[in-house]
Structure formats: structure tokens, C-alpha cells
Amino acid sequence: MAEGKVANSDRAEQREHLSVAATATDGVRVLNPAGEIDHHTGDALRHALDVADTAHPRVVVDLRGVTFMDSSGINVLIAAHHALTRAGGWLRLAAPTDTVMRTLQIVGVDAVIDCHDTLGQALAD
């Protein structure tokens, strides 16, 4: 394998990494994804958003650490929004970067899921 291909492979692995930390604040599950949300990493967020065993689940996704999101990430958020709403709960998005917010606006997610400038605002409303 050529050295250029190894470097590209290493770089691809870095781009495909997404970590999702979860905490709770006043009964609200707060998810902090960091990295890129795309078809390679969307399952990590999907699993973190799964609160099937929770009555009236309330979830805030703090997007400040997300550097990129494609349609896979949008699909994960929309599916979670529908599932949480059906369960009597809600999903809110907080602190999206300009790049991520632009993606949310282009596809109209910001008109479907509550988006807030800060985590504090998402938790307070």
C-alpha cells in the first residue's frame, strides 16, 4: 500500500470518529456529541438517543462539539424527535455551530425541533 493511501486512511478514521457523552440535569438527558455526524458515525448518536424504557423522556443534544452533520445526522435527529414525542417527551437542540445550524436551516429541521443558542436556554424552556 502506498504511503499516501495510509495517510488518507488515517485521516478518514479521524473524520469518522464521534464520541457522545451523556449526563442528566434535572431529569433531562443531555447528550454531548463531539466530532462529525455522518453515515459512518450516526449510529453512535442513534444509540445515545434511544430512551425507549423512559416515561416522558426529555433530551437535549448539545451540538457545540459537532463540526459537521450530513443527512444521516438529520435523519437520526428527526427519528429521535418523533420517537420522543410519541413517548410523551421532547427533543431540543442546543448551541449548534454555524455550519451545523446552516444544515439544520437548509432542510428545515429548526422549524420542527426546538433549537436554542445555548445549553442553558434549552434546559430552561
Side-chain angles (χ1 to χ4, degrees):
M1 183 179 283
E3 282 186 45
K5 290 189 182 212
V6 171
N8 288 340
S9 174
D10 291 343
R11 188 169 179 218
E13 287 177 22
Q14 291 172 354
R15 280 195 317 260
E16 294 173 8
H17 179 73
L18 177 72
S19 63
V20 183
T23 59
T25 302
D26 297 326
V28 178
R29 182 178 174 94
V30 178
L31 301 179
N32 296 91
E36 296 185 358
I37 304 173
D38 59 22
H39 69 282
H40 295 291
T41 62
D43 281 342
L45 182 58
R46 181 178 292 108
H47 291 301
L49 283 163
D50 183 8
V51 290
D53 297 334
T54 306
H56 309 290
R58 299 175 297 156
V59 179
V60 172
V61 180
D62 184 348
L63 295 170
R64 81 180 96 194
V66 175
T67 56
F68 172 82
M69 183 182 338
D70 70 4
S71 62
S72 300
I74 297 297
N75 290 335
V76 168
L77 293 175
I78 293 292
H81 169 71
H82 289 301
L84 292 165
T85 301
R86 280 191 306 271
W90 48 253
L91 173 65
R92 295 178 182 163
L93 306 178
T97 61
D98 290 340
T99 303
V100 172
M101 188 62 194
R102 180 74 179 131
T103 300
L104 296 172
Q105 291 171 333
I106 287 171
V107 298
V109 170
D110 62 324
V112 176
I113 302 172
D114 289 337
C115 294
H116 300 271
D117 291 334
T118 68
L119 177 60
Q121 290 170 346
L123 290 169
D125 289 343

